[in-house]
Amino acid sequence: MSTQTYSISDLSRELDITTRAIRFYEEQGLISPERRGLERIYSARDKVTLKLILRGKRIGFSLAECRELIELYDPRGGNFKQLNSMLVKIAERRAQLEQQMLDIEQMHLELDTAQERCEQALAATPKPSDSTC
């Protein structure tokens, strides 16, 4: 039974990320390809790990949070700890986004007020004459 492997260019193409990004995740210790001379050989697990990192980043997780979730994976004991941790992180991220939405709405109100005051002040200000001496 042969195990699926990937070159760095295969993963780059399939996951639509740069080879530089893949090397960065390798430097961070998140993936560890085999080496055949200078060639990196990535496993199916490396590919899954990269997919998890990319998904985590899309929903706003830090690289440290992604690492924590990846490290919780236990193929023998199932994903119970990993999934529970993910749910906690999702709830935390959702709360952060809700606060950001409230902050943005407040900023909109502040901008509306500032605009209205500027427009009122401008309307009350005499216009400069167009004539020149």
Side-chain angles (χ1 to χ4, degrees), residues 20-125:
R20 185 175 181 193
I22 295 170
R23 285 190 296 272
F24 172 77
Y25 296 131
E26 182 182 344
E27 289 167 11
Q28 297 300 308
L30 292 163
I31 56 176
S32 50
E34 291 180 32
R35 298 275 188 161
R36 287 191 196 137
L38 295 177
E39 186 181 10
R40 292 170 166 89
I41 307 297
Y42 295 90
S43 67
R45 181 179 175 102
D46 291 326
K47 181 179 175 182
V48 169
T49 298
L50 285 169
K51 283 181 172 181
L52 289 172
I53 292 167
L54 296 173
R55 183 179 304 140
K57 290 180 65 64
R58 274 195 310 273
I59 59 178
F61 290 170
S62 69
L63 195 54
E65 289 171 314
C66 291
R67 176 189 307 277
E68 183 183 325
L69 289 168
I70 290 163
E71 288 173 354
L72 284 173
Y73 177 71
D74 179 8
R76 294 175 307 260
N79 296 342
F80 186 79
K81 285 182 181 179
Q82 186 185 44
L83 293 172
N84 273 331
S85 183
M86 179 80 162
L87 286 173
V88 168
K89 289 189 183 311
I90 287 170
E92 289 169 354
R93 184 66 183 134
R94 192 178 301 276
Q96 289 172 345
L97 287 172
E98 288 170 4
Q99 183 59 56
Q100 287 175 333
M101 286 171 37
L102 291 172
D103 293 344
I104 289 169
E105 186 59 36
Q106 182 62 41
M107 191 178 297
H108 271 246
L109 294 173
E110 295 288 338
L111 288 169
D112 289 346
T113 301
Q115 181 180 352
E116 187 177 311
R117 286 184 181 160
C118 286
E119 288 170 349
Q120 288 172 353
L122 193 57
T125 303

